[in-house]
Amino acid sequence: MTVHIGAAPGDIAETVLMPGDPYRAKWAAETFLEDPELVNEVRGMLGFTGTWRGNRVTIQGSGMGMPSLSIYANELISDYNARTLIRIGSCGGMQSHVKVRDVIIAMSATTITSPSSGFFREINFAPTADYELLAAAVAAAKNRGTPTHVGGIYSSDVFYAERPDLDEQMVRHGILGVEMEAAELYTLAARHGRRALAVLTVSDHLQTGEALPSEDREKTFGDMVEIALEAAFT
Ligand code: HPA
């Protein structure tokens, strides 16, 4: 048990998928895992462990934003020895060729500030995905025929942004989409020598204002979960 995770030692698998939404953790575990068991419900941040094609997997909610993700990822790494951490979540599309429902596999994650910025101080650290996981996810997406983009994303620390000029700079620099967690996950994985990746579904688009209708979400999010699982066990 840790401060925020009630699981017993050994209840968490070495491979952890991390959606922001705890109910999406429940849905993904019940949909894709065999014999999923609830291993955490502290603060309602549900976590489940089961198996996928015979491999043990935990799906643990991270909450929204880097400070929340940082708490769960730190405890999963340091107290439960998680070795592969894959964020599965939604993002806002930032380029015209990126469409709602497409998948983004994040090679790098740009930030203004993250929970790690305080001690990096003058360093602009470049949070980067694990290459093996990235290559395996790209291959899995290609096999499935899922429209997929691979490149940089922006991990913002606000959903309701007051600086549209920042989004414009991200667009100018080819950033594919915006979310709120991946940069800290990549940073923590680098610090502790673990593997991390973010596989994201474009749920809305900053330029067109289009948003994924709720009835489409399950099928679209399902592709992302299966890409993440295939990447983890390739
Ligand atoms: N901004 C930040 N995070 C997001 C967005 C967004 O537009 N869409 C989904 N996650």
Side-chain angles (χ1 to χ4, degrees):
M1 253 179 85
T2 60
V3 178
H4 303 93
I5 301 176
D11 278 356
I12 304 277
E14 282 193 359
T15 297
V16 185
L17 267 50
M18 301 185 77
D21 177 355
Y23 286 108
R24 197 164 295 151
K26 183 173 193 293
W27 169 78
E30 288 171 353
T31 307
F32 296 101
L33 302 190
E34 283 125 48
D35 307 320
E37 276 183 31
L38 179 72
V39 292
N40 183 50
E41 52 184 336
V42 176
R43 292 177 183 242
M45 197 56 76
L46 305 176
F48 297 82
T49 297
T51 59
W52 182 79
R53 298 186 186 166
N55 301 292
R56 261 182 112 227
V57 188
T58 295
I59 307 185
Q60 168 65 54
S62 70
M64 290 178 283
M66 289 182 271
S68 179
L69 174 131
S70 175
I71 289 170
Y72 294 101
N74 264 298
E75 294 180 10
L76 288 166
I77 290 170
S78 298
D79 298 295
Y80 293 98
N81 204 24
R83 307 208 68 85
T84 296
L85 300 98
I86 305 182
R87 165 161 160 69
I88 48 172
S90 58
C91 70
M94 296 190 105
Q95 301 289 332
S96 55
H97 67 280
V98 172
K99 309 291 183 203
V100 166
R101 296 183 187 78
D102 289 359
V103 163
I104 294 177
I105 299 173
M107 200 150 59
S108 63
T110 296
T111 58
I112 296 182
T113 178
S114 78
S116 296
S117 307
F119 73 82
F120 278 132
R121 297 168 64 175
E122 63 270 54
I123 298 281
N124 285 314
F125 181 74
T128 311
D130 177 83
Y131 179 72
E132 260 183 24
L133 281 180
L134 180 97
V138 173
K142 213 170 239 176
N143 271 344
R144 303 175 65 80
T146 308
T148 299
H149 310 269
V150 185
I153 61 162
Y154 172 38
S155 295
S156 175
D157 60 354
V158 286
F159 188 88
Y160 297 103
E162 293 288 339
R163 291 272 311 274
D165 58 309
L166 295 175
D167 288 345
E168 279 164 29
Q169 289 302 339
M170 293 296 94
V171 173
R172 275 186 68 211
H173 288 82
I175 292 295
L176 299 170
V178 53
E179 52 83 84
M180 299 182 66
E181 292 83 13
E184 180 67 3
L185 179 63
Y186 288 5
T187 302
L188 290 172
R191 189 176 308 153
H192 295 280
R194 309 301 159 101
R195 308 196 303 164
L197 182 68
V199 182
L200 306 167
T201 300
V202 180
S203 61
D204 51 85
H205 203 288
L206 267 65
Q207 282 127 351
T208 64
E210 193 192 348
L212 194 59
S214 53
E215 63 271 22
D216 281 16
R217 283 182 186 239
E218 285 206 355
K219 154 86 184 87
T220 323
F221 289 145
D223 282 348
M224 164 181 79
V225 178
E226 290 193 301
I227 290 167
L229 288 166
E230 284 182 30
F233 298 110
T234 297

